[in-house]
Amino acid sequence: MLKFRTIALLLTLAVSIPCAQTETIPRLEAYFMSGQVRALLASHDDRIKALQVLQEIGVTKVYLESIRDGVQPTVELLETARDFFQEHGIEASGGVTLISGNDFSTASNQPGLWLNYQTEKTRKDVAEHFRTIAAIFDEIMVDDFLATDDTSDISQQAKGDRTWSQYRLDLMSDFAKRYMIEPARAVNPDVKIIIKYPQWYDRFHKFGYDVVREPKLFDRVWVGTETRNPETKRYGYVMPTEGYINFSWLKSIAGEKIGGGWYDFGDCTKETYLMQAYQTVLAGAKELVLFEAGSLIQGNPCNETFLKRRDALFALGEILKDRKPMGICAYKPPHSNGSDTNGAGNLYIYDYLATLGLSPIPVAKVPDSAKTIFLPRQAADDPTIKNLVHTWLTAGKTLWMTPDFLCAVKDQKITAAAGFEYPLVLTSETKKVIGYGGQGIDEIFTVRGPDGKETKADQIPVELRVLPTPLHASMKCYGITTDGKIPILTMNKPEEGGTIFTLNLQTYTHEEFAPDREQFLPPRPLTIKNWPSSVVGWIRREIKYPYNIRINAPNNVGFYFYNDNLLVLANFNSTPAACTIHPSSIDSDKEMKLHPRFPHVENVHFEKMETPKSPCYSLSLPPWELVLVTWE
């Protein structure tokens, strides 16, 4: 019955789809897995049914997969389906997923789905398949799994003295060139091949995803933005901002080759599925692949909310198409490690910067022109980072660091400049917080919980990593435990110039990811999301946001700034978020308002409030939704 209700809803919504679908931003696309090509497109009636649903959703391009798990539709069926969609105004490209099965290639010796790319059989099978598929399609997308975890004897021998990471990076970029791209172009010189990266950006290099060489080899780059449900274990405890971070970071590498985002229904609620779309477009994607076509045709319930807000998604895409994001430059060099054996643990820290509302713009290149730069453990892998830090401070820049960065960089002058004793030794010990202090307030034992009600701090689970009290830096805010104070944010102004903030933000280490657990995605929930509004507010006060705007909002509310006077707020809470926006004195004469071209949901309350100092604006932000604010 749900299936028929969904189709009826689609029919109702279809009348609002613009006629020139290819002009909408983002463009909606769908991916048929190889088994779905056989099951859902085998007959003319099947293809008509699929076409009807996809047209009603607004899909203008499909990817027809030629292999997955060894399942291969016939060449005749792929050609028939391709021609059918193209005859009905829907572009058709190919898709490939390199997973073993049905005697296709050699499987990795590790449990899972990956291949052993060192064997002659894998090389022969993959090259032959790409020659076949390139004769059918002028464009081919390569889905996840272009990576390996194989440790068999043949891989051990080929690895030699290299680390597993370096061996796999060399192996996979060479394999892609010799056994995928070159065989395909030998058959079809005009074929365009897309690499689609998964979402787990901080672990790419461990398994051979080379973000430096591969974007140069492939014609386009697509990005996995499938964050799914942050509250469940099935796909990891992924913050809803990870898709935004992953896309933005890869865009800083791929440049003009960046294409679109890709997300799925797996483990999603209606709200989290829609937020995946929002975050993908906020990052700059102009195309969205809805994975996978079977769920669209069969009527996944998450799609109902997505369709109700489809016009908002199109409006968001149009509003952002000529705008650039603004915020703190968060530096992550390619192939950098977020943890080490000295106790550092900052994997996926960029996701949490965004949910805290710190407006990070992740970049893979040295952000020399930025005025404010965030440096977690990953940045310590830049061999020039010590000189860069001193150069930046001399230039008067503001640097945000984590203790993990200070520990990894091993520089006495930098540690002293941050206000800590050298060497800074990290510990895995954490303590439960029973209160908070900061900004001249000695103790706060009552905070607001996730439901907005006041409660005792020790009733909201927050644990902080034990960190030494700084020698010279002032503690802007701290957690109170039964044994004393633990710094959360410290600030110091070194003699050479500039300002250093040290944020005690601990996330994950590589050791927490293992084949018998979650290999790629956050393996446990963190209590950062429980930090109270008072603590998050103290941290935000130290950031110089674009346009000098100040925002008071609960935790788990993201701030996204763009040029041409645009602010987007995203609420990742299941309850409404009460926010206050304070324009700078420079812009106080400009009237703020809800963006007139974005269709806000009901219950968005936005009101100007006159105060003795300057006007401000109150805003009620609905759960799992966006609000766009502009001024002129």
Side-chain angles (χ1 to χ4, degrees):
M1 181 63 70
L2 176 60
K3 171 182 173 182
F4 296 108
R5 287 201 303 269
T6 303
I7 292 176
L9 173 64
L10 295 174
L11 289 168
T12 301
L13 291 167
V15 296
S16 65
I17 300 175
C19 295
Q21 278 299 307
T22 56
E23 297 179 0
T24 61
I25 299 177
R27 182 183 187 183
L28 301 185
E29 305 167 356
Y31 191 98
F32 284 85
M33 293 188 292
S34 60
Q36 294 172 343
V37 172
R38 297 205 308 197
L40 301 177
L41 302 176
S43 70
H44 182 73
D45 288 345
D46 290 335
R47 293 189 286 273
I48 288 293
K49 177 182 176 182
L51 174 69
Q52 181 184 27
V53 174
L54 296 180
Q55 286 181 328
E56 289 160 354
I57 293 173
V59 168
T60 62
K61 182 177 181 180
V62 295
Y63 297 86
L64 306 174
E65 191 177 68
S66 57
I67 190 167
R68 178 184 292 254
D69 297 315
V71 176
Q72 302 186 53
T74 65
V75 169
E76 292 75 19
L77 177 55
L78 288 168
E79 290 175 337
T80 299
R82 175 201 64 192
D83 294 344
F84 172 83
F85 282 115
Q86 290 178 345
E87 289 167 1
H88 289 84
I90 293 182
E91 186 179 344
S93 294
V96 172
T97 300
L98 297 177
I99 300 176
S100 64
N102 291 338
D103 198 40
F104 176 80
S105 298
T106 306
S108 167
N109 69 336
Q110 300 297 315
L113 302 172
W114 284 344
L115 301 179
N116 179 342
Y117 288 92
Q118 196 66 56
T119 69
E120 286 302 320
K121 178 171 176 53
T122 297
R123 295 174 176 182
K124 176 179 178 295
D125 288 356
V126 172
E128 181 179 347
H129 188 81
F130 270 82
R131 281 190 289 267
T132 300
I133 197 67
I136 305 172
F137 298 103
D138 290 330
E139 183 180 68
I140 305 167
M141 181 182 291
V142 183
D143 188 12
D144 295 357
F145 309 102
L146 190 59
T148 186
D149 57 358
D150 187 80
T151 58
S152 62
D153 289 344
I154 190 173
S155 296
Q156 287 271 7
Q157 185 176 359
K159 168 181 168 291
D161 295 332
R162 290 173 290 181
T163 63
W164 279 111
S165 178
Q166 189 57 58
Y167 157 69
R168 290 166 180 164
L169 289 169
D170 294 339
L171 169 69
M172 297 311 301
S173 58
D174 179 71
F175 185 95
K177 179 177 183 292
R178 295 172 59 192
Y179 302 105
M180 297 165 62
I181 298 171
E182 289 179 353
R185 288 180 179 161
V187 173
N188 181 356
D190 296 325
V191 69
K192 305 298 182 186
I193 305 179
I194 303 169
I195 181 171
K196 181 254 177 177
Y197 285 99
Q199 78 203 75
W200 32 276
Y201 63 90
D202 248 342
R203 305 249 311 149
F204 285 165
H205 60 291
K206 291 289 185 180
F207 302 97
Y209 269 116
D210 193 325
V211 299
V212 176
R213 284 176 281 190
E214 287 169 344
K216 297 175 183 177
L217 292 172
F218 287 87
D219 297 285
R220 296 186 74 195
V221 174
W222 281 73
V223 182
T225 56
E226 57 270 58
T227 52
R228 309 182 180 98
N229 191 340
E231 303 296 333
T232 56
K233 182 179 180 181
R234 181 182 175 192
Y235 289 109
Y237 297 94
V238 180
M239 290 294 97
T241 51
E242 186 168 288
Y244 173 88
I245 296 296
N246 192 27
F247 192 99
S248 300
W249 183 65
L250 284 169
K251 182 171 64 174
S252 77
I253 299 170
E256 294 299 318
K257 285 190 176 183
I258 201 73
W262 166 314
Y263 54 91
D264 60 39
F265 294 97
D267 205 29
C268 286
T269 65
K270 296 177 181 179
E271 293 78 15
T272 56
Y273 181 75
L274 176 61
M275 185 56 73
Q276 290 180 137
Y278 283 150
Q279 292 293 306
T280 306
V281 177
L282 285 171
K286 293 179 172 57
E287 300 175 59
L288 301 183
V289 168
L290 311 179
F291 184 86
E292 29 64 39
S295 292
L296 297 175
I297 294 169
Q298 295 163 9
N300 189 295
C302 289
N303 208 40
E304 295 183 25
T305 300
F306 172 81
L307 289 170
K308 289 177 181 177
R309 295 295 289 158
R310 184 188 51 199
D311 289 345
L313 198 65
F314 289 155
L316 181 65
E318 288 294 330
I319 292 167
L320 295 181
K321 70 177 180 180
D322 295 322
R323 284 186 163 95
K324 294 183 180 180
M326 305 166 67
I328 295 178
C329 274
Y331 186 32
K332 174 179 163 52
H335 310 154
S336 54
N337 284 296
S339 74
D340 56 44
T341 56
N342 294 318
N346 281 166
L347 288 172
Y348 301 117
I349 192 171
Y350 307 90
D351 309 346
Y352 289 91
L353 294 180
T355 57
L356 286 169
L358 306 189
S359 301
I361 307 295
V363 294
K365 298 177 182 178
V366 176
D368 281 330
S369 62
K371 295 181 179 179
T372 304
I373 304 169
F374 181 78
L375 302 172
R377 167 62 185 83
Q378 291 86 331
D381 279 357
D382 182 338
T384 69
I385 195 65
K386 294 181 183 180
N387 291 334
L388 286 172
V389 167
H390 293 297
T391 300
W392 288 334
L393 290 174
T394 302
K397 295 180 184 290
T398 298
L399 304 182
W400 284 66
M401 302 175 178
T402 63
D404 312 74
F405 172 82
L406 290 172
C407 178
V409 79
K410 294 182 172 62
D411 186 282
Q412 186 171 359
K413 289 184 179 179
I414 293 176
T415 305
F420 286 86
E421 182 179 3
Y422 181 83
L424 180 62
V425 178
L426 298 180
T427 173
S428 60
E429 182 183 9
T430 61
K431 289 189 178 294
K432 184 177 180 181
V433 174
I434 61 173
Y436 301 93
Q439 295 292 96
I441 302 175
D442 291 334
E443 296 180 341
I444 293 181
F445 288 92
T446 302
V447 299
R448 293 192 179 276
D451 58 0
K453 298 179 180 179
E454 287 194 352
T455 186
K456 294 293 184 181
D458 58 5
Q459 294 175 358
I460 300 176
V462 171
E463 292 185 351
L464 289 177
R465 170 179 50 191
V466 175
L467 192 67
T469 300
L471 292 177
H472 308 295
S474 60
M475 288 199 290
K476 291 294 182 178
C477 64
Y478 50 84
I480 301 169
T481 74
T482 54
D483 296 324
K485 301 175 181 178
I486 297 179
I488 296 177
L489 181 68
T490 68
M491 185 271 283
N492 196 48
K493 290 185 174 293
E495 292 182 359
E496 58 189 306
T499 305
I500 295 180
F501 290 95
T502 304
L503 181 61
N504 187 12
L505 194 60
Q506 181 188 30
T507 54
Y508 309 100
T509 66
H510 283 299
E511 286 68 32
E512 295 184 67
F513 301 78
D516 60 333
R517 298 193 294 273
E518 172 56 68
Q519 271 191 285
F520 316 114
L521 306 175
R524 58 185 172 88
L526 300 181
T527 60
I528 297 168
K529 64 181 182 179
N530 296 333
W531 285 9
S533 299
S534 55
V535 170
V536 177
W538 286 325
I539 296 171
R540 290 170 179 162
R541 284 191 199 103
E542 304 302 332
I543 296 175
K544 187 175 181 180
Y545 286 105
Y547 308 108
N548 291 322
I549 287 175
R550 311 304 308 173
I551 305 171
N552 295 328
N555 195 355
N556 303 303
V557 173
F559 308 157
Y560 303 80
F561 293 90
Y562 299 87
N563 65 326
D564 293 336
N565 300 347
L566 180 66
L567 165 64
V568 181
L569 296 95
N571 185 5
F572 309 117
N573 295 287
S574 58
T575 55
C579 311
T580 308
I581 303 174
H582 300 266
S584 69
S585 57
I586 298 175
D587 294 325
S588 60
D589 60 329
K590 296 182 179 180
E591 192 75 18
M592 282 190 157
K593 61 182 178 181
L594 297 178
H595 200 291
R597 285 161 46 202
F598 184 79
H600 293 89
V601 297
E602 295 181 1
N603 301 322
V604 173
H605 175 78
F606 188 78
E607 181 181 6
K608 184 177 181 180
M609 303 171 61
E610 297 294 341
T611 62
K613 294 183 178 179
S614 61
C616 63
Y617 298 83
S618 66
L619 168 66
S620 178
L621 182 56
W624 292 99
E625 261 296 344
L626 304 184
V627 165
L628 275 63
V629 177
T630 187
W631 56 96
E632 56 188 21

